[in-house]
Amino acid sequence: MKVHLLQIPQGETLHLEGEEDASALDLPEAGATATSPLSYSLDVGVSDGGLFATGHLAVRVRMRCVVCLEDLEIEIVADPFSMQMELTGREQIDLTPFVREDIHLLLPPHPRCDAGAVCSAAGALRSGQHQPERVDPAWNALDKLKK
Ligand SMILES: [Zn+2]
């Protein structure tokens, strides 16, 4: 997600909206897999030699429930998202590191599909209801990395 300073009108903000491949977010590092592109709506401006952006971000991710070990999908929404940085003389600014950091902070450290009895019961029944199609190769790769 790159912005060129010349795109930003002086004294005004540039509105950026769209979707971007979520692979730049490095979600697998956090045990999550993106199931949607990253959608963003940002207003970017310059003030006092710094660049700022405000708006919102959203991406759907699949994580594994820590209780029953089933996959669950969560929508991660950063609203409001805001960041600012000093301008270092470069005209092309990459917002991706700021976006990535915010999204990672919003990922639940202990995701639960349904906190409480339903989930526990699902965990107890899991061995009987195992569905092979839910074993995602990405998870297998992650499990290997953890060892
Ligand atoms: Zn669960």
Side-chain angles (χ1 to χ4, degrees):
M1 196 179 296
K2 293 197 174 77
V3 185
H4 199 285
L5 285 185
L6 295 178
Q7 289 178 298
I8 303 173
Q10 203 159 12
E12 294 176 46
T13 55
L14 171 72
H15 187 67
L16 294 175
E17 196 172 325
E19 291 190 334
E20 189 164 295
D21 189 343
S23 62
L25 299 175
D26 293 333
L27 290 169
E29 278 179 17
T33 310
T35 58
S36 79
L38 171 73
S39 68
Y40 59 90
S41 172
L42 298 173
D43 290 301
V44 185
V46 176
S47 70
D48 298 330
L51 180 121
F52 65 88
T54 57
H56 68 261
L57 310 166
V59 62
R60 287 189 71 80
V61 301
R62 188 169 64 230
M63 298 184 83
R64 183 172 285 184
C65 172
V66 293
V67 179
C68 65
L69 305 182
E70 291 288 341
D71 287 350
L72 68 147
E73 268 198 27
I74 316 169
E75 181 153 36
I76 305 293
V77 179
D79 188 12
F81 166 76
S82 68
M83 52 91 35
Q84 56 181 24
M85 63 179 289
E86 279 183 45
L87 290 173
T88 54
R90 273 181 301 168
E91 292 189 326
Q92 179 113 313
I93 312 291
D94 189 3
L95 302 180
T96 308
F98 299 94
V99 168
R100 180 166 48 215
E101 188 182 339
D102 240 60
I103 294 288
H104 276 247
L105 288 173
L106 288 166
L107 291 172
H110 305 291
R112 280 178 176 226
C113 57
D114 184 17
V118 177
C119 179
S120 305
L125 289 170
R126 193 172 67 94
S127 55
Q129 294 184 331
H130 191 67
Q131 295 169 307
E133 67 270 19
R134 303 200 57 164
V135 178
D136 186 319
W139 285 115
N140 292 338
L142 277 174
D143 287 341
K144 278 180 199 137
L145 283 176
K146 281 179 198 151
K147 282 169 193 163

